[in-house]
Amino acid sequence: GNNITTLKKLSQEWKNLSTQKEQLQWIKDNKSEFDKLDVSVRNVTDAENIFVDNTDVMVAALKARAKAAAAMKLAADNYEKALIKEAEAEAEAAKGLSTSDRAKAGIANISTTGTGPAAGANTGAQIQKDAEKQRKRRIQGLKDEAKAAEATADQYFNMAAAITKESNAALKAAG
């Protein structure tokens, strides 16, 4: 947003200059603005190319750069999420059964244990096995979330790279 505003302001200023002396001084005076836009303006021809002949290409390139930056931020956010989920999975794998694992396994066995002494004899062992399965599913779920976040991050990263490549090609073609 700000870069596009700056570009349009500079373009208007350039068009208002009438002598080559004014133009050369303006180029010197605005070097820091050109640096902010990541463009090189060494002479009047460069300035004409950017601020008159190819302003639309520059605006499109600045928009593309903003999109690429946003995609890189989203990629970084998703890589962070993936790392957090991986760490959570590792931490959970290092622990024993959680209360939640035991509770879910116990609830799952309520309807299958039946009644009487023989039915209850296997309940503890079965609940332990089911709790272990629940723990593994929970840890796998965290790992799956990490993989999904990493895949999303990779998509955003690739999107940013493609946008940047396309933008650079358009700028190069414009001179």
Side-chain angles (χ1 to χ4, degrees), residues 67-85 146 149-160:
K67 286 181 182 179
M72 288 301 283
K73 182 188 179 317
L74 291 169
D77 292 347
N78 276 279
Y79 283 130
E80 179 182 8
K81 182 180 176 183
L83 288 172
I84 289 168
K85 290 298 179 183
E150 188 167 346
T152 300
D154 289 344
Q155 288 176 328
Y156 283 125
F157 180 83
N158 292 336
M159 182 186 298

Side-chain angles (χ1 to χ4, degrees), residues 54 57-58 60-61 164-175:
N54 290 300
V57 174
M58 281 298 300
T164 300
K165 183 178 179 180
E166 184 178 320
S167 172
N168 289 343
L171 285 174
K172 188 173 183 178

Side-chain angles (χ1 to χ4, degrees), residues 16-155:
N16 290 335
L17 300 173
S18 54
T19 68
Q20 187 166 5
K21 182 179 179 184
E22 287 177 337
Q23 291 172 334
L24 292 173
Q25 186 60 47
W26 183 86
I27 290 170
K28 288 179 188 175
D29 292 346
N30 286 289
K31 181 176 179 350
S32 66
E33 294 296 317
F34 306 148
D35 290 344
K36 289 178 193 173
L37 295 174
D38 195 26
V39 296
S40 175
V41 180
R42 298 175 306 263
N43 53 44
V44 171
T45 303
D46 290 346
E48 282 288 320
N49 187 36
I50 293 169
F51 300 112
V52 177
D53 299 335
N54 290 300
T55 305
D56 292 343
V57 174
M58 281 298 300
V59 168
L62 292 172
K63 287 179 182 179
R65 286 180 190 168
K67 286 181 182 179
M72 288 301 283
K73 182 188 179 317
L74 291 169
D77 292 347
N78 276 279
Y79 283 130
E80 179 182 8
K81 182 180 176 183
L83 288 172
I84 289 168
K85 290 298 179 183
E86 287 172 8
E88 286 176 13
E90 288 176 15
E92 290 299 315
K95 296 178 187 176
L97 295 173
S98 71
T99 304
S100 172
D101 296 331
R102 287 187 183 94
K104 287 180 181 176
I107 290 169
N109 277 284
I110 287 175
S111 63
T112 61
T113 57
T115 56
N122 293 328
T123 302
Q126 186 60 45
I127 289 174
Q128 183 67 23
K129 282 183 185 178
D130 289 350
E132 203 41 61
K133 286 179 188 175
Q134 175 59 33
R135 176 179 173 266
K136 287 179 182 177
R137 279 193 300 268
R138 185 172 45 81
I139 292 168
Q140 187 59 50
L142 290 169
K143 289 179 181 179
D144 291 346
E145 286 182 58
K147 284 181 185 176
E150 188 167 346
T152 300
D154 289 344
Q155 288 176 328

